[in-house]
Structures are given as structure tokens and as C-alpha cells.
Amino acid sequence: MCSIIAYASCNCNDVSSILLDSLSLLEYRGYDSVGIAVLNGSSISVRKGVGNVKDVNRKHRLEELVGSIGIGHTRWATHGSISDLNAHPHTSCDGRIAIVHNGIIDNYLELREGILKDHSFKSETDSEVIAHMLEHLLSRHKDIKDVMVALLRLLHGSYAFVALLNDGTLVGSRHNEPLIVGVVPSANSILYHYANRKKYNDVFCSSCFISSDVLAFIKYTDKAIFLSNDEFFILRPIKHGYRLSIYDAEGNKIGKQITQIAWELSSYVIDKGKYAHYTLKEIHEQEYTIARALCSKINHEFITRLIDARRVIVTGSGSSYNASLYAKHLLARVGVNIDACIASEVRYSSISIDSNDVLLAISQSGETADLLDAVRYAKSKGCKILSIVNVNTSSLVRESDYFTSINAGPEIGVAATKSFTAQLAVIYKVASLIAHENNSNYDYSIYYYDSLSSAISKGVRDIIAREHLLSSIADTIKDVNDIYVIGKGVNHIIALEGALKLKELAYIHAEAINAGELKHGPLALIDNSRSSVVIALNVKDNTYKDVINNVKEVKARGGYVIGISDCYEYKECYDVMLDLPSIYDTNERDCGFVNAISYESLAYPVYQCIPLQLLAYNIAVKKNYNPDYPRNIAKSVTVT
Ligand code: BG6
């Protein structure tokens, strides 16, 4: 997934610094290469290169480009190697058009070898065809609107793109990739239209942003227009500003509503503050984000739809799939007929879906293409879509019948941390509300969640205070080849999440193994060579004794074991033990609440997950990897 930004302003001639500022906020979407194109007079200058925003700007001095309109891009390579030539923006043969693109043009080879065979291409990318197609069509159609209609008929695949023309016009469109316009009202214009919230056809503004994510422009304006699939926009310079017009794929001008972005997002400070990395900041924020998620508003219809469904299919990708497994674990316990399925497998799975079923889609970004594809597939079968999401302005929210926000705030670090534990908290609350709906003896009062969240926040604080221990454990194991994270029951789900963090952040082969399965094969991997380590998730729940036996099996083969536990009974079995705060200091029994789902069903997964996040983070830092932008992956992948 790549990130796109475009900015036009009649009050500023230094758009490059604004473009760079926005791109640095979007870098989580892709950081293989960076580039901008700026119009000065009638000539477009392009500067781009391999690396992140700071490095490429230092090397190629992007900020020196002067002009009042420009486009920018950060790349997550899909077609063509990571190189300066394959970096965006790409230009037409005559240099009068520059484009930035996110997504995949499936028929790019056909277009290159067909309609565009006389054009000279500079890159290996699929994206460059958009610049040449515009050049080709502009030589056949006078009106840029007709050019766009013709172009959208010829482009196949998933895309969001913006093109800068040397007459100062910006055009762009989207198909299954996000594209959002941020408008900065000019004095007399928008207020009138905005006041009556009526859809209208043209927006007159002094400056305008177009981007993949509201994060890019939220500090400049909270007024956004979300383009729907196959709509395109034309931004034309006019006296003292710009006129923005939006059309459907046939070229009919359409009215669009302006959405006021939630103040929470606009007031959220997107910087690392005192932390070395966003990832560390977001791990520490869990002291508050889990509590906030527990207080999330959950629409009653959301609960009754889950209860009434013939079957619920819960799905997600990456960490959100691990959260889906947790949802299956808890919702099954309160009587929901539920199956979990990896998002990219939903359309291929043997689970038949129809209008009696509900798809519960879990996603931090709400833009993961595999998940949106699963949603569209389930919808085509008449299924209702419920979603648990962090980005309320995302495509998933717009494609859901009901959604619940986890309210974790923007998550910049590519590896999910605070969003995962906030997902667990919301799922815990959903299960509790279902239990209450089925049996009113079970408590669901607001006070219950208040005491729960303060108990959990205290536990999270205690764990974060142990970070120095995790840093020394990281020193011990940072050079191993393999890490096996073992656990039973719900703890195995946290083992999956821990193994994912160790892969994503520390680039170590890490595998989650159901502790009971060790002796049925994986134990063969264990020896006394210290090239591998076992991390045992061994909290004092009904799995404790069994997992201690599995730990002894590993020790008997000379394996090295790190225990993560709140029980000291068999402390000597581990080589190292990371002790967790006892959850019984503050369990609900003291508070006189009765809930179908015990407090430990949330506290233990959370308390075991955070040390694994911190361990992966510390190993990454000790190996000089960038924990915020791990190699080869991106925050959410918008290509299937
Ligand atoms: C991957 C991220 O691209 O997408 C993971 O690297 C994330 O951290 C996964 O869990 C799913 O993303 P989302 O936004 O759908 O939860």
C-alpha cells in the first residue's frame, strides 16, 4: 500500500514543505521510496528517491521545489523493484502530466503494449501507464472531464490516483482504494453550502488537499469529502482559489456531502513526544486505550444482530485475525454460533454464507483490501456486515451495516499494539453485553466497566514498569534463530500475537505452538544449542499445571525457557521468569459485580500480550531495526 497526497493553495508558494509534512504522517502506509512533483508556472518539477521522507528530502532537497500546487507519494513496492526510477511521481512523455498512484493496475501490460506502444516508459511500474494514458486521451479529447470518463473505462484493477496537469488542474479517482478530499473553505463559499448540509455540486475553496488518509491534512482542516468508488474529481484553479467538482463514472456532476471529522482525531497530537518511536509510545498508551475501549459505545442493534444470526463469521488479517480468534473464543462461551476465518480466505472457505448470517469484520485501519474483499463477498451473499474498527472514517465503516469503534486513536507504528488490546477490550464488552441480553442477572452497568478499566490500567502500568527486565531478556535472546511461544486455551491466541510481533519487529522466526502439541512433533526442534528459545505463557488459570508439564518436557531436552506468569509455584522450571501483576488484587468479586465472562478472560490476554510487544520492540531496537517502519510490510495492505 502506498500513500498519496496532493495540495493546492492560492495563499502559499511553498507547497513542498506541506506535502513533505503530510507524507511523513502517512509513511506508515509505505516507505520504500518518496517523491513529489510541484508546478511552477507551467513546468512540473519532480524530485524522488529510495528511502524514507527525511532521507530522500536530505539527499534530493525536495523542500526546495517552489510552487502553489503539487502532489506527493510514499511507496510500498508491488510492481518493479525499489529504485529511484520506480519511485513516484511518474510523468508523461512530454512531462506535462505527473501522477501518483496507490493500488495495482491489472491491465498495465496490455495498455503499454497496446494503446501506449509508442510511448517511452521510464519505470517498471504498473502506475506509470496512468500518466501516459492521460497524455494519450488528452490528445483525443478537449475536455478533461471526457478524458477522465474514457480513462476510467480503460483502467482495470484497484486504484486511487491523482494527476497534476501543467495548466494547474488536479484530477483523480478511486476504485477500491481510499481517496479523501480535505477542503479549506474560502471566506464566503463553503459556510453557505455547509450550513444547510445539502449536497451541492461545486466547492469553492482557497486551498485543498487530496489524500489516502485524513491524517495527512487533519491539522489544517476537519472538513472532508469521501470519494466513493468510480467517482472522479476535477480541481480547477479560479480567481482567488479553486473550484472542486465531483463526477460519477459517466461524467455526470454529482452532489457530495462534507463530513466534519471527529474532534477527537483533529485534537490528537501525532508525534512521538518523549518516546524514541511511535511503537513504544503506543505500547505505553495502553494504560489508557484499553480503558477507553471498555467505555466504547456499542449500539444495541449490534448486539441483537449477533445474537439473532444463524451463524457469525468473524474475520480479519494479521493482528486483527488474532483478535477474531479471541472473539470466537469469548462469543462461543455466551452462546453465539461463531466461526473464525482469515480475511483472505473467506471467499475460498468451505463456510457457506447467506442472508441469515452475519460477518463480523475486525480491522484497525478499515482499509485492508483482503478484509474489504471478504466484506464485499459476504455482502454479495446477502450477509449483514458488523465491524469493529479503529479508523471511523475508513471504507470498512462506510461498507458496514453497524460498526463499533475501539477509540484507540491514530496508530502510526506499523505493527499493531494498542489497537490489538483495544480490540480485545471491545470484544470482551460485546460478549458481556450478549450474556446480559440473554440473562439479565449478569451485570453490565457502567460502574462495572469503570472498575474493570481502572483495574486493568493499574496492571498495565505495573507491566510497563518492568520494561527494564524485558530489555535484559532481549539482550539475552536477540541473536537466536527461532522463538517458540507456547500457551493453552485463550493464551495460545496471545502466543500467536506475540509470535507475529517478533516476526514483524525483530525479524526472528517465531512460532506459536499450542503447548499440548509440543510432544506431538515440535519438541524435535528443541536442543541445548541456545539457537532457539521457548516463551511459555503460563498464567494461573486452568491451564497452569499442564503448561508447567510442557515446560518440563522442553527443559528435559536442554531447551531455554522464559516464563511469563503471575504464579511463583514452579518458578524454578524457567530459566527466566517475567512476573506479571496478580489479577486477583482487583478482581470483580470484590466489587460485587457478576459477569458471565470472568475478569481474567480480558486481564490475562492483555497482561501477557504487552510483555511480548515490549520484548519484540526491545530486540528490534537492539538490532538497530526501525520498529515503526519494519521492512517489507505496511500498516494495512490495500492490495489483495
Ligand atoms: C498488516 C499490518 O499490514 O495488516 C498488521 O502490518 C495488521 O499489523 C494487519 O495487523 C491488519 O491490518 P488492519 O488495519 O486490517 O487491522
Side-chain angles (χ1 to χ4, degrees), residues 316-321 362-368 371 411 413-416 419 423 500-501 504 633-637:
S317 305
S319 294
S320 294
Y321 174 63
I362 302 182
S363 175
Q364 186 286 127
S365 62
E367 298 295 351
T368 298
L371 184 74
E411 186 175 63
V414 165
S419 63
Q423 287 167 343
L500 181 60
K501 291 308 116 185
E504 285 178 312
I633 58 173
K635 184 71 192 158
S636 79
V637 179

Side-chain angles (χ1 to χ4, degrees), residues 280-296:
L280 185 62
K281 175 181 177 227
E282 287 151 9
I283 291 174
H284 283 232
E285 278 180 17
Q286 293 174 103
E287 185 187 336
Y288 315 107
T289 50
I290 298 167
R292 218 172 31 229
L294 278 169
C295 300
S296 288

Side-chain angles (χ1 to χ4, degrees), residues 215 262 264-265 267-271 278-279 281-297 320 362-365 388-393 403-413 415-426 613 635:
L215 272 186
E264 294 95 344
L265 190 55
S267 60
Y268 195 91
V269 182
I270 315 235
D271 71 28
Y278 282 109
T279 304
K281 175 181 177 227
E282 287 151 9
I283 291 174
H284 283 232
E285 278 180 17
Q286 293 174 103
E287 185 187 336
Y288 315 107
T289 50
I290 298 167
R292 218 172 31 229
L294 278 169
C295 300
S296 288
K297 287 193 202 51
S320 294
I362 302 182
S363 175
Q364 186 286 127
S365 62
I388 295 177
V389 68
N390 191 31
V391 181
N392 300 356
T393 55
F403 83 98
T404 292
S405 175
I406 63 171
N407 293 317
E411 186 175 63
I412 305 295
T417 53
K418 64 175 181 175
S419 63
F420 177 70
T421 51
Q423 287 167 343
L424 300 189
V426 164
Q613 296 169 347
K635 184 71 192 158

